[in-house]
Amino acid sequence: MGMLRRMERAVEDCESALLAKIFRTDPVQLFDDLRQECDEHAVVCSRHRVLVPNDYTVELAPDVHDALAARGGEVGRQLTDVLARHAVERDYEWAGPLTVHVTAAEVPNGRYRVSSAALAHVPAVAAGPQQPAPAVGFT
């Protein structure tokens, strides 16, 4: 168990180092804000079922967003991974497929703003049960 914990910390350290270079701020704070957004909007349905929003938007200051645009969906994927691990740790269920959108916006603190919504999963074609992969959007 100790070895797994060390490996997990090593992966988190790598993610933090990458985002520190990208955001020029403490990326752990952004991760914590995403987790907090998830926790604050959790809905307890029963003793063994807690639903959380599945659609997250991270609005970045335009200059930060422009710097990240060249990296494609890498940052969005990392943010999605953070949320997915958090849900597993807390035994949360998503209201539908997990998505994280990274967009440019004028944000009050000059860095970022996090918001979420619960969007129902409505398949376009009813072709049988499928498990959709998490989606990442960078616009």
Side-chain angles (χ1 to χ4, degrees), residues 2-61:
M3 185 171 119
L4 291 175
R5 176 63 68 191
R6 286 192 301 272
M7 289 175 58
E8 181 180 13
R9 284 188 191 140
V11 169
E12 288 175 356
D13 289 346
C14 289
E15 286 178 349
S16 295
L18 174 64
L19 288 176
K21 289 179 184 177
I22 294 170
F23 286 112
R24 288 173 281 155
T25 185
D26 186 8
V28 174
Q29 184 176 357
L30 175 57
F31 292 158
D32 288 344
D33 287 349
L34 273 170
R35 290 181 195 112
Q36 182 177 357
E37 180 75 15
C38 181
D39 293 340
E40 287 178 353
H41 295 90
V43 176
V44 178
C45 298
S46 70
R47 214 172 117 197
H48 300 289
R49 188 168 187 220
V50 179
L51 287 177
V52 292
N54 61 314
D55 186 63
Y56 293 81
T57 301
V58 177
E59 297 173 314
L60 300 172

Side-chain angles (χ1 to χ4, degrees), residues 81-121:
D81 289 346
V82 166
L83 281 171
R85 274 185 273 160
H86 182 65
V88 168
E89 291 169 1
R90 300 279 176 108
D91 290 326
Y92 288 158
E93 290 182 36
W94 303 111
L98 174 61
T99 59
V100 176
H101 305 279
V102 182
T103 63
E106 293 299 324
V107 290
N109 63 7
R111 295 177 14 209
Y112 63 86
R113 175 177 37 221
V114 177
S115 60
S116 65
L119 301 178
H121 175 56

